[in-house]
Amino acid sequence: MLDLEVVPERSLGNEQWEFTLGMPLAQAVAILQKHCRIIKNVQVLYSEQSPLSHDLILNLTQDGIKLLFDAFNQRLKVIEVYDLTKVKLKYCGVHFNSQAIAPTIEQIDQSFGATHPGVYNSAEQLFHLNFRGLSFSFQLDSWAETPKYEPNFAHGLASLQIPHGATVKRMYIYNGNSLQDTKAPLMPLSCFLGNVYAENVDVLRDGTGPSGLRLRLLTAGCGPGLLADAKMRVFERCVYFGDSCQDVLSTLGSPHKVFYKSEDKMKIHSPSPHKQVPSKCNDYFFNYFTLGVDILFDANTHKVKKFVLHTNYPGHYNFNIYHRCEFKIPLAVKRESADSQTETCTTYSKWDSIQDLLGHPVEKPVVLHRSSSPNNTNPFGSTFCFGLQRMIFEVMQNNHIASVTLYGPARPSSQLRTSDLPQ
């Protein structure tokens, strides 16, 4: 049985690990993977058809704990303990829930002190006792006298005294004063762990298509001193097609991983006559997982030739490998009555809405079916790749965008730019 410390408006954890409000989904999953021998039977709950309409939930069924992540920013919003018989809980080092201590209203009052009177919800038959960043729900279905607690006020809720002997049914840790109005806080400094995160990514555009990325980056100050003295730093960086790998390293820092392409499965769709000729050397990716961005370099020139932006929707083959990239992409839209206008596509745009903006359907897609090996199956099914304005939109079966691949302008093979020549 887990023995966990409750910190209102902040966290639930022990000396080895801690689930902190504002923590990215990937970090919580990493904790569960690291301690898989202790924390078992974890469920991932999400809406397959409308993933933005419901919170993303990690359900620790063996321990009676749910971690609720905001559907948009994918940071931890609420920690719910829904079965207090499966876990030990303490506050300031003193237990208020264990096999020997029942979490009664008297015990909660002794451990946490005075607060406002309880609020009764007749629809749920629950009393809610609220502290800042912490709520307890008490079940009343065992009381024959429940109707006498029915509120007489027009609002449907009344402030009343909780009956003696009532025990906690659920506990919630959240940010702010109201569980109903709470939002996931900004990522705590303790969660940066030396990484750089992207607050948003703007796709830069010239007359023909994408020209590069402008990234607004966040990191914890890494100067001398303790973490308590650290502050969040915000800065902007730009990366363009044709930048060398040294340019990218100096702009964004080292990637989390470098991946060398062994094959190009989309090569068969190229009109080039030499498309079946194997390359003597392989292009390579810089994978920036916390930015949600991949950058592909040409094997010969070592210059940027492709960007890949990941949305990290649940139900996609690459889910939880990348953090969500909050991108904005300008699309050139031609109107019959006016010159071409610019509309914006975001991480949360659906493919149908993009086609509506364009005013016409895009050509038939290429069907992409991912699997880790020829003998494995992909439980999430195929995705569809649509080409548009030097971009490829990978669209999931629920109409959400899984990734966007940006291509640089075509370069004549017989010409060399001055910047390509050795210095």
Side-chain angles (χ1 to χ4, degrees):
M1 183 179 287
L2 295 179
D3 191 355
L4 305 176
E5 178 81 22
V6 173
V7 183
E9 206 175 16
R10 201 192 96 176
S11 65
L12 178 71
N14 56 28
E15 294 179 353
Q16 284 76 42
W17 51 264
E18 185 176 46
F19 295 122
T20 307
L21 295 178
M23 169 183 281
L25 170 69
Q27 285 190 18
V29 173
I31 290 174
L32 297 174
Q33 289 174 329
K34 184 176 180 180
H35 299 279
C36 60
R37 294 186 177 182
I38 301 170
I39 306 174
K40 302 177 182 178
N41 302 329
V42 179
Q43 298 175 335
V44 182
L45 308 176
Y46 63 93
S47 172
E48 189 171 4
Q49 290 304 314
S50 52
L52 297 176
S53 62
H54 301 281
D55 290 333
L56 178 62
I57 300 173
L58 296 180
N59 184 16
L60 284 59
T61 57
Q62 180 180 277
D63 307 296
I65 299 171
K66 284 182 180 177
L67 305 176
L68 283 71
F69 294 83
D70 185 273
F72 287 84
N73 57 45
Q74 297 186 338
R75 296 196 302 269
L76 183 55
K77 182 171 74 172
V78 176
I79 302 169
E80 176 188 348
V81 182
Y82 62 87
D83 191 344
L84 278 77
T85 64
K86 295 181 177 180
V87 65
K88 296 179 182 178
L89 299 172
K90 54 188 176 182
Y91 175 64
C92 294
V94 179
H95 284 95
F96 65 88
N97 174 65
S98 68
Q99 293 169 320
I101 303 172
T104 62
I105 177 59
E106 292 81 11
Q107 182 63 50
I108 298 301
D109 184 58
Q110 178 182 338
S111 298
F112 292 90
T115 186
H116 299 291
V119 177
Y120 181 61
N121 186 318
S122 58
E124 298 177 338
Q125 289 192 329
L126 291 175
F127 268 109
H128 300 289
L129 191 64
N130 301 316
F131 299 83
R132 180 173 177 85
L134 183 69
S135 289
F136 295 95
S137 297
F138 297 83
Q139 183 79 51
L140 292 186
D141 54 4
S142 60
W143 269 273
E145 302 87 355
T146 298
K148 80 177 185 180
Y149 296 108
E150 290 285 346
N152 298 318
F153 297 93
H155 300 293
L157 295 176
S159 295
L160 302 157
Q161 293 295 323
I162 297 177
H164 291 288
T167 57
V168 176
K169 182 177 177 62
R170 293 190 185 93
M171 182 192 75
Y172 302 90
I173 302 172
Y174 53 92
N175 185 54
N177 285 315
S178 170
L179 177 60
Q180 287 71 33
D181 301 330
T182 190
K183 296 180 180 180
L186 296 175
M187 193 190 311
L189 294 176
S190 59
C191 291
F192 277 87
L193 303 175
N195 289 304
V196 177
Y197 293 84
E199 185 176 36
N200 53 64
V201 176
D202 293 324
V203 175
L204 304 175
R205 185 183 178 92
D206 56 22
T208 60
S211 61
L213 304 178
R214 181 172 61 237
L215 304 97
R216 183 175 171 85
L217 304 174
L218 305 174
T219 187
C222 51
L226 300 174
L227 181 63
D229 300 325
K231 294 181 181 179
M232 187 181 296
R233 293 177 53 217
V234 182
F235 52 97
E236 285 191 355
R237 293 288 186 268
C238 293
V239 184
Y240 300 94
F241 289 111
D243 282 356
S244 68
C245 61
Q246 290 85 356
D247 293 333
V248 174
L249 285 170
S250 63
T251 302
L252 300 179
S254 298
H256 295 91
K257 188 176 180 181
V258 178
F259 175 76
Y260 289 86
K261 292 180 65 176
S262 58
E263 57 180 333
D264 188 353
K265 293 182 179 179
M266 303 298 283
K267 202 171 188 178
I268 194 171
H269 299 284
S270 169
S272 306
H274 59 278
K275 59 189 176 185
Q276 300 297 340
V277 179
S279 176
K280 294 181 179 179
C281 47
N282 297 328
D283 294 347
Y284 54 95
F285 281 102
F286 278 7
N287 304 124
Y288 291 94
F289 297 130
T290 57
L291 305 183
V293 175
D294 290 330
I295 302 177
L296 180 68
F297 294 89
D298 185 274
N300 297 309
T301 64
H302 303 286
K303 295 185 180 296
V304 176
K305 61 186 288 188
K306 185 193 299 185
F307 296 104
V308 185
L309 314 179
H310 299 271
T311 60
N312 196 44
Y313 276 107
H316 186 257
Y317 186 76
N318 287 335
F319 175 64
N320 200 52
I321 294 177
Y322 298 86
H323 289 249
R324 172 166 288 168
C325 179
E326 301 269 358
F327 58 72
K328 291 183 180 179
I329 303 174
L331 296 176
V333 179
K334 293 183 179 180
R335 307 290 187 190
E336 292 182 1
S337 58
D339 295 334
S340 61
Q341 299 176 348
T342 301
E343 300 285 352
T344 302
C345 163
T346 72
T347 307
Y348 310 108
S349 299
K350 285 193 168 185
W351 181 244
D352 283 352
S353 65
I354 295 174
Q355 290 198 119
D356 290 342
L357 287 174
L358 297 172
H360 60 84
V362 181
E363 293 181 3
K364 288 184 178 181
V366 173
V367 180
L368 180 61
H369 189 80
R370 286 186 171 90
S371 62
S372 56
S373 71
N375 297 323
N376 287 354
T377 58
N378 177 357
F380 304 114
S382 302
T383 54
F384 307 96
C385 297
F386 296 87
L388 174 67
Q389 299 177 14
R390 290 216 325 262
M391 294 175 283
I392 292 180
F393 290 79
E394 182 190 355
V395 181
M396 300 167 62
Q397 295 184 16
N398 60 12
N399 212 22
H400 282 281
I401 297 170
S403 68
V404 182
T405 302
L406 314 175
Y407 288 89
R411 295 173 53 200
S413 58
S414 60
Q415 297 179 0
L416 277 176
R417 295 183 305 178
T418 307
S419 58
D420 292 333
L421 298 174
Q423 299 297 319

